[in-house]
Amino acid sequence: GGIIEGNLGAANVNVNLDGALYFDGVNDVVTISDNSALEPSSDISLSCWFKLADTTHDHGRLIAKDGEILMQVFNQSDSVNIIEIGSWDDWDNRASYNWGAGDTSWHHLVGAWDDTDDKWRVYFDGVLVATTSGTSAKPTWGSSNWEIGKSTQFHKGYIADCRLFNTAIELADAKILASKINIDNSLISASSNLVAWWKLNEGTGTTATDYENSGTDYDGTISGATWKFDAFSVNVQDNSTTTDGT
């Protein structure tokens, strides 16, 4: 975000009017059916954008496969939010980043498992902020479904641009992914390692389309979560106009 000052005259200003998916923190979820094609055999990366509705909600489950893998924002107290990524069966060795009080702006997150050194890494807004101090176990894949916004507990706020890779994303790619919601996947070096991509920008209906598009699509089913059209709003400062996509 930012501020554009001055008289723009007839200049064109591009505004993101995509729908954004809002999760109420009670029972909203996107479910993707279990499939072995969505279970990388070595390196793993999860990438998504998120926006908290408030900073005191107990658990903000972002992406998970219950009992297998989890990426979340955990509210430890009103002044401490912690970002966590790890394997359920080795949760003591998860990677975590103390975000502090947090905020309600959009942020980008990557959780990457590197099979060569058995470590999780966390990239927050394109910056490497955490690496597991010792070795940790990769997920033991089972029969659980993939879920966005839920894993026993629920996220409150927005989630967008969720991607699954079969490689450990590196810093350069994390920076690109953090530069724009739903940025073109061909711009990153790991583009061929994309397994699934749920943009969550359809704006209507209950299907979360998989945009990976090289073979079988692994679409998700939206339950409860609602489409909002003011998540990327722009307010014109002379108070004459609000461009909010409605």
Side-chain angles (χ1 to χ4, degrees), residues 7-213:
N7 187 347
L8 299 180
N12 292 324
V13 178
N14 293 324
V15 179
N16 188 344
L17 300 181
D18 285 346
L21 201 56
Y22 179 79
F23 299 76
D24 67 2
V26 178
N27 57 7
D28 294 353
V29 62
V30 176
T31 303
I32 301 99
S33 297
D34 176 50
N35 192 297
S36 60
L38 301 177
E39 299 172 348
S41 59
S42 55
D43 294 349
I44 306 161
S45 291
L46 298 174
S47 169
C48 78
W49 285 81
F50 72 93
K51 183 179 187 291
L52 301 181
D54 64 63
T55 60
T56 60
H57 184 66
D58 188 16
H59 286 75
R61 308 294 209 197
L62 299 176
I63 310 175
K65 206 167 184 286
D66 193 33
E68 301 168 38
I69 187 172
L70 170 65
M71 185 161 71
Q72 70 170 356
V73 180
F74 169 61
N75 178 247
Q76 183 170 293
S77 68
D78 288 351
S79 60
V80 179
N81 280 276
I82 299 174
I83 292 168
E84 299 178 314
I85 173 72
S87 307
W88 273 102
D89 51 6
D90 192 28
W91 192 242
D92 287 345
N93 289 311
R94 63 193 178 277
S96 62
Y97 167 59
N98 189 331
W99 185 22
D103 58 57
T104 56
S105 299
W106 280 100
H107 293 281
H108 181 258
L109 184 60
V110 172
W113 161 262
D114 191 332
D115 198 50
T116 59
D117 59 6
D118 297 336
K119 291 182 182 296
W120 284 101
R121 295 184 176 87
V122 176
Y123 299 94
F124 186 70
D125 290 341
V127 177
L128 177 63
V129 295
T131 303
T132 47
S133 57
T135 58
S136 55
K138 68 168 291 183
T140 301
W141 300 119
S143 58
S144 297
N145 296 325
W146 281 96
E147 294 177 312
I148 298 172
K150 177 243 180 182
S151 177
T152 67
Q153 290 153 317
F154 295 85
H155 173 73
K156 186 176 182 180
Y158 295 91
I159 303 177
D161 188 5
C162 297
R163 310 187 201 203
L164 170 65
F165 296 88
N166 61 7
T167 190
I169 292 294
E170 300 286 351
L171 179 59
D173 278 348
K175 288 181 177 179
I176 295 171
L177 290 168
S179 66
K180 180 182 178 181
I181 294 176
N182 289 322
I183 193 166
D184 189 340
N185 200 64
S186 66
L187 297 177
I188 65 173
S189 64
S191 59
S192 63
N193 297 101
L194 183 68
V195 176
W197 183 7
W198 301 282
K199 293 184 179 182
L200 305 183
N201 69 343
E202 288 79 10
T204 186
T206 58
T207 297
T209 303
D210 172 18
Y211 287 87
E212 189 272 334
N213 287 332

